[in-house]
Amino acid sequence: MNVRERIEAEGSEANRERHRQEFFDRLADRLLDVSLSEPHRSRVEQAFTHLADEEWDAAETLLREHYESVCETTTPQLQDEHHPAACHLYGGATPDSD
């Protein structure tokens, strides 16, 4: 089998879907340390689909919409107490401006 024939054989719809699933499985193995339940699994698979299609911004946006932490968007004020803490759990946090 020459290179052209191999590319043609690998380019079939069935093979593209198999490669996409292998891509998802490898990303999940590398990036996730737990099994995901729904709807989280579907969201992460959708993000992986964006990555497979080289749509990095879409993957980032999807995950940020659902999983961005308050710690990423809010800077807590240092509390004026005996044991001061700067944590959104202790109140006084205000959203960061871009």
Side-chain angles (χ1 to χ4, degrees), residues 1 5-23:
M1 178 179 286
E5 291 169 333
R6 181 166 294 217
I7 291 171
E8 288 172 352
E10 288 296 316
S12 71
E13 185 65 33
N15 279 331
R16 280 196 298 272
E17 186 56 36
R18 180 177 54 85
H19 289 303
R20 183 178 291 265
Q21 190 58 50
E22 288 174 3
F23 175 73

Side-chain angles (χ1 to χ4, degrees), residues 14-48:
N15 279 331
R16 280 196 298 272
E17 186 56 36
R18 180 177 54 85
H19 289 303
R20 183 178 291 265
Q21 190 58 50
E22 288 174 3
F23 175 73
F24 290 170
D25 292 344
R26 287 189 184 199
L27 275 177
D29 287 345
R30 183 172 176 100
L31 300 176
L32 303 174
D33 56 1
V34 297
S35 295
L36 300 175
S37 60
E38 291 300 333
H40 310 289
R41 180 172 176 75
S42 293
R43 288 179 188 146
V44 170
E45 284 184 358
Q46 183 62 43
F48 288 175

Side-chain angles (χ1 to χ4, degrees), residues 78-86:
L78 183 62
Q79 303 298 306
D80 186 24
E81 297 181 14
H82 176 68
H83 182 77

Side-chain angles (χ1 to χ4, degrees), residues 45-86:
E45 284 184 358
Q46 183 62 43
F48 288 175
T49 297
H50 289 310
L51 294 178
D53 295 336
E54 298 185 31
E55 298 169 347
W56 290 80
D57 290 340
E60 178 185 346
T61 298
L62 174 68
L63 295 175
R64 187 172 299 283
E65 285 175 356
H66 293 283
Y67 303 109
E68 184 172 58
S69 166
V70 66
C71 298
E72 295 176 84
T73 60
T74 304
T75 301
Q77 301 297 317
L78 183 62
Q79 303 298 306
D80 186 24
E81 297 181 14
H82 176 68
H83 182 77

